[in-house]
Amino acid sequence: MTTRSDSGHDRHDPGLDAVMSERRHLINLAYRLLGSLTEAEDAVQETYTRWYAMSRQQQDAIESPGAWLTTVAGRVCLNVLGSARARRETYVGEWIPEPLPGGAEWVSGRQGGAAVDPADRVTLDESVSLAFLVLLESMTPAERVAFVLHDVFCHSFAEVAEIVGRTPGACRQLASSARRRVRAARPSATSAGRRTDVVSAFKKAWEAKDIEALVGLLDPDATAVADGGGLAATFLHPIEGGERIAHAWAELARRSPADMLLLERTVNGRPGLVAQQDGVTVTVLAFEVVGDRIRHIWVVRNPEKLRRWTTD
């Protein structure tokens, strides 16, 4: 019996190409499910390990390798989400999803799932924003998996049920509950150009230590959350209120090293800021802009979450 590891492995294998072509889709899915590209890559690696642990005969018996890989990756992520909750309870300070540099989207979503009102459907572009990923953290693992698979990646509830281990009807309820949270938290639309203008103005006011200008750019009920993971100095508890945030950021500007460079960069598909020293990214800031003001700021300083930014 011939397997992938036999001498014939060196010959071109169309089946292998088809299987490996799924990797980008799986990474896209796993990142949204886990909020960490590092964990997503590990989950996808585990998925492929299970695929190649099968004999060639077992692989050939699978009608749709792509569906099989998605099912296994979903189950792996569901298990990771369960253990991640316990790990994050002991995490030093606040936990923020791992930010991605530049264009954070790789491939389009799958089609053919059960119909959802277009007004409720979450686009792939929207689903990679830090604001959306933070919202997903408030869901149960089963809710998150059901919602992301169905509402973001267009998988049917029958497919979701195979992954979550519940009936299609139960998965429909999980996704519905998650959808209500998303609708309640979704802000009014703000144009990409306006978001860019607000973040750019915030950068200038921050560098100028202009507290009045900062206050004017922040929602009165704005919040700022930082993630250092115990590996970088930062504030451990959220800062609430636009005025308090403005004073805190002015103080940060006064304490910043002379060689600190603040750059405008795309963070998870949205306008953001990056602080660098000697070419190394030490801080990434993501923003949620509603109208003309900033409602949320997420500050990531944990160096383990910034490795992909060094060459950005």
Side-chain angles (χ1 to χ4, degrees):
M1 180 172 62
T2 302
T3 68
R4 297 277 197 245
S5 59
D6 289 338
S7 58
H9 175 69
D10 292 334
R11 295 193 295 272
H12 180 70
D13 184 347
L16 175 62
D17 291 344
V19 168
M20 293 310 296
S21 69
E22 295 290 325
R23 186 176 186 278
R24 296 175 76 187
H25 165 70
L26 297 175
I27 291 288
N28 262 317
L29 173 64
Y31 174 68
R32 286 163 177 80
L33 290 178
L34 301 176
S36 165
L37 190 54
T38 300
E39 291 183 349
E41 289 173 337
D42 289 344
V44 172
Q45 181 62 39
E46 172 63 20
T47 300
Y48 278 108
T49 296
R50 296 186 187 186
W51 172 264
Y52 288 113
M54 296 188 295
S55 68
R56 180 60 178 268
Q57 186 177 22
Q58 289 172 317
Q59 293 170 356
D60 290 343
I62 295 173
E63 183 176 348
S64 174
W68 186 94
L69 291 166
T70 295
T71 297
V72 173
R75 289 172 179 167
V76 170
C77 288
L78 188 60
N79 290 336
V80 172
L81 283 171
S83 61
R85 287 205 156 196
R87 290 199 308 274
R88 288 166 194 173
E89 286 177 1
T90 61
Y91 193 81
V92 178
E94 300 288 328
W95 189 93
I96 296 175
E98 178 184 347
L100 299 184
E105 187 51 57
W106 301 289
V107 294
S108 61
R110 297 303 175 85
Q111 301 299 320
V116 173
D117 188 325
D120 291 335
R121 172 74 71 193
V122 174
T123 66
L124 279 168
D125 176 66
E126 180 184 0
S127 72
V128 81
S129 73
L130 252 296
F132 185 81
L133 293 174
V134 169
L135 177 60
L136 290 180
E137 285 295 312
S138 68
M139 300 179 186
T140 68
E143 277 182 330
R144 185 168 183 166
V145 171
F147 176 71
V148 170
L149 279 166
H150 181 263
D151 282 43
V152 180
F153 286 89
C154 307
H155 288 280
S156 70
F157 284 120
E159 293 171 316
V160 175
E162 283 192 55
I163 295 171
V164 179
R166 305 192 188 188
T167 66
C171 292
R172 185 185 301 275
Q173 290 301 314
L174 287 170
S176 179
S177 174
R179 198 177 303 129
R180 285 194 295 271
R181 294 196 200 189
V182 171
R183 281 201 300 261
R186 182 180 285 172
S188 56
T190 301
S191 70
R194 188 59 196 145
R195 288 196 297 261
T196 299
D197 290 344
V198 171
V199 172
S200 180
F202 183 86
K203 173 181 178 289
K204 293 177 183 177
W206 183 11
E207 291 175 323
K209 309 177 189 64
D210 188 337
I211 293 177
E212 184 176 349
L214 287 170
V215 170
L217 291 164
L218 290 159
D219 187 283
D221 297 320
T223 60
V225 180
D227 178 347
L231 301 175
T234 192
F235 51 96
L236 293 177
H237 304 290
I239 302 175
E240 299 180 348
E243 190 165 343
R244 290 186 62 200
I245 294 172
H247 282 277
W249 253 249
E251 183 61 26
L252 286 172
R254 282 189 283 270
R255 295 183 180 183
S256 293
D259 62 344
M260 183 76 77
L261 187 62
L262 193 60
L263 306 169
E264 295 182 34
R265 291 288 185 269
T266 299
V267 180
N268 285 63
R270 298 286 190 274
L273 298 176
V274 169
Q276 292 184 342
Q277 282 183 281
D278 298 323
V280 176
T281 296
V282 294
T283 308
V284 169
L285 297 95
F287 300 83
E288 181 180 52
V289 178
V290 181
D292 293 330
R293 296 197 171 191
I294 295 167
R295 179 177 291 179
H296 296 291
I297 304 175
W298 294 280
V299 183
V300 180
R301 285 185 49 77
N302 184 338
E304 293 183 350
K305 296 183 178 182
L306 300 179
R307 293 172 182 167
R308 301 170 201 279
W309 290 83
T310 300
T311 59
D312 180 37

